[in-house]
Amino acid sequence: MKIDLLSLSCHKFRGPKGTGVLYVRKGLRLPSNMLGGGQERGSRSGAENVAGIVGFGAALEEASANIPENARRVTAMRDRLITGLLKIPCSRLTGDPLNRLPGIASFVFECVEGESLVLMLDQNGICGSSGSACSSGSLDPSHVLMAIGLPHEVAHGSLRLSLGEDNTESADHNASSGHVPPMGGPRF
Amino acid sequence: MYSEKVMDHFNNPRNVGVLKDANGIGQVGNPVCGDIMKMYLRIEDGVITGVSFKTFGCGAAIATSSMATELVRGKTVEEALQLSNKAVAEALDGLPPVKMHCSVLAEEGIKAAIADYYKRQGK
């Protein structure tokens, strides 16, 4: 793939939080990130986080096995979720409908605010996240949603749901059908 | 993060909706911030006989506007003008510091509706 540098966040594939990987093409020489005892071949001094390293190694091994089968199963659940949620009036899927990661479905719902959505879902046993200002504590909604041209009030109604190998089909079904009653509530 | 009372008002907001015979309507906040509150009042002989609200906002925004409508229902206009954001927050058993601005918006919403009523009366 002719990659010079690649960084991985291990918590994204269920490795320990606080661990990461930097792949460096052989022959590339980078300045030291931290000076000191010369650990990690001089690139980053300081005692290595051995437990973290072992953890991400195990996570990587597990994540790399069965990629096609996992992707197929998670994609099917994701697509069912998307179909179910788009039945809610004034809702939109954000991002490319086809070329997207198997496990992420991100939406905007008009006239409802993101933190309210997350609260409602949480009470129904569903964890989601939002890019609204109220949920992130900043003054602006997600800069990505703004960049794709969504007006502020629509971007504030964003909801992101993630699916993984651990999600079951019945939970997925619950999420897509159970959404509809709560949405009857606080629309402006 | 939220008290039980806040969650109660979020899940069971009081006085939600459009008040059809409202004679004072105030809207505060804006879509850029992600917080909009619209308060409807019906004032007869100086008393608030009807009140409702519609809010676009987070859990605290819905709870504070709901509580504000409860606090002014049946009160005189003079009493309603005394409504403070502190009273709204206290009635909800407190708000996280980062959400206190919602109570301010709720207070302003009620006062904006009262101002609108006076404007319509030509005062």
Side-chain angles (χ1 to χ4, degrees):
Chain A
M1 280 175 26
K2 301 209 168 115
I3 294 172
D4 291 322
L5 298 169
L6 181 88
S7 64
L8 292 176
S9 288
C10 299
H11 67 275
K12 291 291 188 186
F13 49 89
R14 308 197 296 172
K17 272 188 175 179
T19 59
V21 177
L22 176 67
Y23 161 85
V24 182
R25 178 176 58 76
K26 209 168 186 176
L28 253 186
R29 296 193 54 193
L30 295 177
S32 299
N33 188 294
M34 289 200 295
L35 299 172
Q39 287 85 355
E40 306 215 44
R41 300 181 198 162
S43 63
R44 189 184 185 277
S45 292
E48 301 93 336
N49 176 3
V50 177
I53 292 169
V54 172
F56 89 61
L60 197 54
E61 241 175 47
E62 213 181 86
S64 332
N66 305 317
I67 288 182
E69 173 53 30
N70 282 340
R72 190 202 58 77
R73 202 172 76 80
V74 172
T75 301
M77 286 197 290
R78 179 205 72 194
D79 289 345
R80 188 166 42 243
L81 187 68
I82 291 173
T83 306
L85 291 196
L86 289 181
K87 289 187 179 138
I88 297 169
C90 304
S91 64
R92 224 182 303 182
L93 181 73
T94 51
D96 193 290
L98 294 173
N99 295 311
R100 55 188 311 124
L101 287 176
I104 310 274
S106 199
F107 305 86
V108 284
F109 298 96
E110 288 176 41
C111 305
V112 181
E113 190 273 337
E115 196 225 62
S116 289
L117 275 172
V118 170
L119 259 183
M120 262 195 295
L121 290 177
D122 182 56
Q123 291 181 98
N124 286 288
I126 298 165
C127 298
S129 65
S130 172
S132 76
C134 292
S135 49
S136 67
S138 77
L139 289 174
D140 297 315
S142 157
H143 64 281
V144 175
L145 295 179
M146 302 304 296
I148 62 171
L150 293 181
H152 277 89
E153 60 272 23
V154 177
H156 282 301
S158 70
L159 177 73
R160 190 186 75 175
L161 296 166
S162 311
L163 292 164
E165 296 92 74
D166 288 342
N167 285 109
T168 63
E169 304 201 353
S170 63
D172 175 53
H173 175 76
N174 280 344
S176 53
S177 57
H179 269 65
V180 186
M183 289 297 297
R187 288 191 107 154
F188 186 71
Chain B
M1 171 166 89
Y2 287 142
S3 71
E4 265 181 43
K5 283 208 178 139
V6 170
M7 289 312 292
D8 176 35
H9 276 261
F10 171 70
N11 286 319
N12 311 293
R14 313 337 188 218
N15 313 309
V16 173
V18 176
L19 193 66
K20 290 213 171 73
D21 49 353
N23 55 7
I25 301 175
Q27 181 163 315
V28 290
N30 65 73
V32 172
C33 294
D35 272 315
I36 309 174
M37 292 181 191
K38 196 165 183 179
M39 305 288 202
Y40 301 81
L41 296 175
R42 180 177 61 240
I43 299 171
E44 290 162 315
D45 295 322
V47 175
I48 295 171
T49 56
V51 59
S52 76
F53 80 98
K54 289 196 85 176
T55 289
F56 170 83
C58 60
I62 292 172
T64 50
S65 36
S66 164
M67 179 55 86
T69 62
E70 283 288 276
L71 290 175
V72 301
R73 178 184 269 292
K75 297 268 158 62
T76 65
V77 174
E78 286 72 33
E79 285 167 333
L81 281 171
Q82 302 303 311
L83 180 73
S84 71
N85 75 296
K86 206 163 154 249
V88 175
E90 274 171 15
L92 288 168
D93 288 342
L95 289 170
V98 67
K99 296 293 185 182
M100 278 302 284
H101 73 275
C102 295
S103 64
V104 173
L105 214 55
E107 176 198 324
E108 288 176 353
I110 294 289
K111 292 180 176 173
I114 293 173
D116 179 60
Y117 165 76
Y118 280 135
K119 194 168 159 205
R120 293 181 193 210
Q121 305 296 308
K123 287 175 187 168

